[in-house]
Amino acid sequence: MSARPIDTRSRAGGTREAILDILRRHDQRSVDDLAGELGLAGATVRRHLDVLLRDGYVAVSQIRGRTGRPRYAFSLTESGAELFGRHYVRITRRLLHEISELTAEETTGRGGEEIADLVFAKLSDRLAAEYAPRVGGRDVEERARAVAALLEDEGFEVEVGASEGGGDLRMLARGCPSRRLRGEFGDSDAPVDCERDRGLLATLIGAPVEARHDLEAAGGEICPFLVRAG
């Protein structure tokens, strides 16, 4: 079976979302700053910024130094910030529901990280049960794309394409709640445990899935998976 290449429109959307996420976490960033964090060429970043400027999600200001050419810094607008609000609402409600369902027996003797791990595990199980009946497709690729579409409704962004070796599929997921919370409140450079996400994908797709950090993009903003299609 030959897999279709990753949709370039989804890839472009993913890069712009990554730019917005960086600007959400930092007051201002230059083109060079963004290019370095994303591992992309400056010209590529500028093209994405042009679209974000056009749509009103970012603003640009000039920073004059004592010497040399003026620098330009980009920041998130109010409209850009609202995008993250919409993405967070649904997953936040789900997390709050799982927290409210915890019993005293489940939390007694557990530390904060252990409770958080339990909440994410329950959320993963609930999503698997909710989405499994809605995943259609005759083969692994069709099911993988169906799962990607369902997860996008939750505010995650998932790209599906052929692996470099061919035959298997590569899934690149942005918007992992564990990664988001680690970036907000913990060590953003610490490794993220992808086992829950891996298990969720494997259950929904009905095929073996491996977490493959050797496929991870620069900056660590993507959770990479390899889906065994054979």
Side-chain angles (χ1 to χ4, degrees), residues 28-43:
Q28 292 183 324
R29 276 293 186 264
S30 68
V31 171
D32 289 342
D33 293 333
L34 292 168
E37 293 189 51
L38 295 168
L40 297 173

Side-chain angles (χ1 to χ4, degrees), residues 147 171 196-210 227:
V147 170
M171 297 188 76
R196 287 182 297 270
D197 296 336
R198 185 207 62 76
L200 174 62
L201 292 173
T203 297
L204 293 176
I205 297 171
V209 176
E210 302 172 8
V227 182

Side-chain angles (χ1 to χ4, degrees), residues 78-92:
E78 185 175 342
S79 295
E82 288 177 355
L83 292 175
F84 289 95
R86 291 198 291 270
H87 282 176
Y88 277 113
V89 165
R90 189 165 186 176
I91 194 64
T92 300

Side-chain angles (χ1 to χ4, degrees), residues 2-103:
S2 61
R4 293 188 295 273
I6 291 176
D7 189 333
T8 55
R9 291 172 298 176
S10 295
R11 178 181 295 167
T15 300
R16 288 193 284 274
E17 182 175 281
I19 290 172
L20 291 171
D21 188 54
I22 292 171
L23 296 179
R24 179 179 63 87
R25 291 183 279 112
H26 303 280
D27 290 338
Q28 292 183 324
R29 276 293 186 264
S30 68
V31 171
D32 289 342
D33 293 333
L34 292 168
E37 293 189 51
L38 295 168
L40 297 173
T44 300
V45 172
R46 288 189 189 93
R47 287 197 296 270
H48 288 296
L49 286 169
D50 285 342
V51 175
L52 294 171
L53 284 166
R54 180 201 67 192
D55 294 341
Y57 296 138
V58 302
V60 61
S61 58
Q62 189 179 90
I63 302 176
R64 290 190 175 276
R66 293 183 178 179
T67 60
R69 300 174 60 184
R71 295 176 65 248
Y72 294 92
F74 295 85
S75 58
L76 202 63
T77 64
E78 185 175 342
S79 295
E82 288 177 355
L83 292 175
F84 289 95
R86 291 198 291 270
H87 282 176
Y88 277 113
V89 165
R90 189 165 186 176
I91 194 64
T92 300
R93 286 176 177 171
R94 286 189 179 276
L95 288 170
L96 289 174
H97 174 76
E98 298 302 338
I99 292 171
S100 69
E101 292 289 307
L102 291 174
T103 66

